[in-house]
Amino acid sequence: MMPTVVVHPRAVERARRGHPWIYRSDVVEVGARAGDLVRVLGPNGRAVGEALYSDRSQIALRLLVRGERHADRDWLRERLQAAIALRRGLGIEATAYRLVHAEGDLLPSLVVDRYGDVLVVQALSQGMDRRLGEVVELLAEELAPAGILARNDARVRALEGLERKVEVLRGEVPPRLVVRDRDVEYEVDLRQGQKTGLFLDQRENRWAAARYAHGRLLDCFSYDGGFALQLARRCDEALAVDISPEAAARIERNAARNAIGNLLVHVANAFDFLREAERRGERFDTIVLDPPAFAKTRAALGKALGGYKEINLRALKLLAPGGVLVTCSCSYHVSEAQLLEVVRAAAVDAHAALSLVEKRVQSPDHPVLLGVPETDYLKCLILRKL
Ligand code: SAH
C-alpha cells in the first residue's frame, strides 16, 4: 500500500490551478515518512495525484503527477526525455546548459546541468534525494556522460534536514573543465563554483547584451566574468569587479585562455567601487549590474529595493550619453515592474533620460512554468542613456 497524505480543499484548488507545492499548513493527515512517494487525497478521498513528502520543509508535498497516474520509473524516464528533447530543440550554441530545471520541467526539486560530457545533479528535497540513484541510472542510459557529480551542498538541503555534500556518483569528474559558450571558453570548477559551476541562466542575456556593448565596459558583480568575457571583444577596454578573489583569479585565467587582452579585474565591494569611481569622475559606455539576490525573503524586500536603487543610480551617473546599462535582478521577490520602477526613480535622480531596449528573462533552458511564479525569477533590462 502506498503511503497517503490528506490535504485541505485549498490545496486541491491550488493543485488544480497548476502549482505543484502543498504547504504544511494545508496538510490535514499524514500517513507517510520523510521522503516517501505518497498518494495525495482531497478531503473527500479523491486522488489529487502523487507527490514527494517532506517532514521538514514548509513545502510538505511536491506533486509529481496528477489524478490516477503513477510517478514510477517510466514516468521519470519520460520526464527526463522530454527535458532533454527540449534542450536539443533549442540548438544552444554552448556546451554548458541546464538539462532539467526542477518545477519548470515538472520535476520538482531536481536540477541537472550539463558541462560538456559531465552532468551535475542537485536533489533539493527529501523525496528527490531518495530517488537520485534512479535519476542517475536513467541519465546514464539516456546520455552516457563521462561522469555525474552531485552538487548536493545547496543551503536548501539543510531546510530538508539533508546532509550537504559534493560527491561523484558515476564515472569521472575532473577538478576543472572547460566549456564553450559561443566564441568564449570558460574554465569551470564544478565542485566549488557557485551554483553548479556557472550562472547558466544568464547565457542568452549575455549574448543580447553583446549586441549593444561598446567603448569602455564595466561589469559589476562579474563572478568569473560571464558578461565581461562575452562583451570585452566588442569593447575598447573592459573592467570586471567582484568581491571574491577566487572569482577574480578565474576571470584572469579565462581572459588569458581566450586571448582577451583588454580586460582588467578588480577585487572590490561593488558599492564602494561605484561610489569611488563616481568621485574620480570616471565614464563608461557599457555597464552591467548582475548582483546576487538582495531580497532572499519577502521581509527583505524594502532594503533590497534600496540596494538596487543605489547601484543603478551610481551606474547611471557613470554612464556616458549613448551608453548602455544592463541591469539584472535574480530576486524572485522583486518583480520586473519593481525593478523598472527602481531604475526609473534612479534615472530621475541622475537627471538621465533612458530608453528601454529589451526586457528579458532567464535563458530558455530554465523554463518558467505558468502558474508557478517561483520559477520566474530572473529579470534583465537593457537600457540606453539618451
Ligand atoms: N554576472 C555573473 C554572475 C554574478 S553572481 C555571471 O554572469 O556569471 C553575483 C556575484 O556577486 C558573485 O560572484 C559574488 O561574489 C559577487 N558579489 C556579492 N556581493 C558583492 C559586492 N558587494 N560587491 C562585489 N561583488 C559582490
Side-chain angles (χ1 to χ4, degrees):
M1 275 294 283
M2 201 167 177
T4 58
V5 174
V6 180
V7 299
H8 191 274
R10 253 192 325 263
V12 179
E13 175 53 20
R14 194 171 142 88
R16 196 187 63 77
R17 281 188 273 124
H19 207 298
W21 296 353
I22 295 175
Y23 292 106
R24 189 156 309 283
S25 52
D26 285 342
V27 167
V28 176
E29 198 184 304
V30 177
R33 286 209 296 245
D36 279 349
L37 176 66
V38 301
R39 184 129 278 254
V40 180
L41 303 172
N44 53 6
R46 275 253 299 274
V48 177
E50 286 184 9
L52 301 174
Y53 173 69
S54 167
D55 70 347
R56 285 283 194 96
S57 164
Q58 281 312 304
I59 306 168
L61 294 161
R62 291 173 167 87
L63 277 170
L64 303 181
V65 291
R66 282 147 216 284
E68 301 294 335
R69 170 117 211 231
H70 292 300
D72 52 15
R73 194 180 175 92
D74 284 343
W75 162 82
L76 185 55
R77 186 192 297 277
E78 259 174 50
R79 290 259 49 87
L80 290 172
Q81 284 175 338
I84 292 164
L86 173 69
R87 277 65 179 182
R88 288 215 172 106
L90 290 173
I92 299 170
E93 294 169 61
T95 59
Y97 49 87
R98 179 149 293 190
L99 269 176
V100 175
H101 187 50
E103 280 73 3
D105 283 294
L106 303 181
L107 283 164
S109 63
L110 177 67
V111 168
V112 183
D113 288 340
R114 169 175 221 155
Y115 289 89
D117 55 5
V118 170
L119 302 180
V120 182
V121 297
Q122 293 183 306
L124 303 171
S125 69
Q126 294 172 352
M128 199 49 89
D129 191 60
R130 212 198 271 178
R131 289 191 81 164
L132 192 56
E134 206 183 341
V135 168
V136 165
E137 277 169 29
L138 290 170
L139 287 172
E141 283 173 30
E142 295 294 323
L143 299 166
I148 301 183
L149 179 75
R151 267 304 291 271
N152 277 334
D153 53 341
R155 215 167 313 160
V156 292
R157 281 183 54 105
L159 300 179
E160 293 274 335
L162 294 168
E163 193 190 339
R164 290 170 68 183
K165 58 184 174 188
V166 178
E167 58 182 336
V168 176
L169 299 179
R170 187 176 276 254
E172 279 178 35
V173 177
R176 290 201 180 128
L177 57 79
V178 174
V179 297
R180 188 188 43 74
D181 187 297
R182 286 212 166 151
D183 55 357
V184 174
E185 286 185 354
Y186 293 91
E187 175 194 295
V188 194
D189 179 342
L190 297 177
R191 287 174 178 77
Q192 284 171 47
Q194 290 202 38
K195 292 217 181 183
T196 59
L198 291 179
F199 288 84
L200 302 172
D201 50 2
Q202 288 280 31
R203 180 189 330 99
E204 303 200 8
N205 295 332
R206 296 183 194 116
W207 296 347
R211 280 177 73 193
Y212 309 98
H214 66 281
R216 189 160 184 242
L217 165 72
L218 172 63
D219 177 14
C220 270
F221 308 95
S222 54
Y223 185 48
D224 57 358
F227 278 93
L229 293 159
Q230 285 289 337
L231 274 51
R233 290 196 182 111
R234 279 121 186 131
C235 297
D236 301 327
E237 55 179 290
L239 178 61
V241 176
D242 198 282
I243 205 163
S244 151
E246 295 81 41
R250 204 146 47 221
I251 303 180
E252 281 172 348
R253 283 201 298 277
N254 279 334
R257 165 181 297 283
N258 289 284
I260 293 173
N262 63 344
L263 173 55
L264 282 177
V265 187
H266 190 63
V267 178
N269 183 325
F271 285 85
D272 299 338
F273 174 85
L274 289 167
R275 196 177 318 115
E276 283 153 23
E278 192 188 322
R279 201 174 309 133
R280 290 192 297 270
E282 293 209 34
R283 279 283 167 278
F284 294 92
D285 303 292
T286 306
I287 299 182
V288 178
L289 299 174
D290 183 22
F294 289 158
K296 294 223 163 62
T297 61
R298 186 162 300 281
L301 181 60
K303 191 152 174 273
L305 292 177
Y308 288 114
K309 168 93 184 278
E310 180 175 343
I311 56 173
N312 280 282
L313 172 57
R314 296 202 189 279
L316 288 174
K317 289 186 176 168
L318 292 172
L319 199 62
V324 172
L325 173 66
V326 180
T327 187
C328 311
S329 164
C330 57
S331 303
Y332 154 64
H333 296 286
V334 175
S335 68
E336 183 187 80
Q338 283 169 317
L339 183 63
L340 262 173
E341 176 52 26
V342 160
V343 176
R344 191 200 59 77
V348 170
D349 290 0
H351 309 293
L354 288 184
S355 65
L356 179 61
V357 187
E358 294 194 27
K359 289 203 276 191
R360 306 184 56 87
V361 295
Q362 63 243 31
S363 294
D365 50 334
H366 294 61
V368 172
L369 185 59
L370 290 193
V372 187
E374 293 82 357
T375 60
D376 183 5
Y377 62 98
L378 185 63
K379 279 75 55 181
C380 172
L381 307 176
I382 304 181
L383 305 121
R384 197 191 298 278
K385 187 172 180 178
L386 302 175

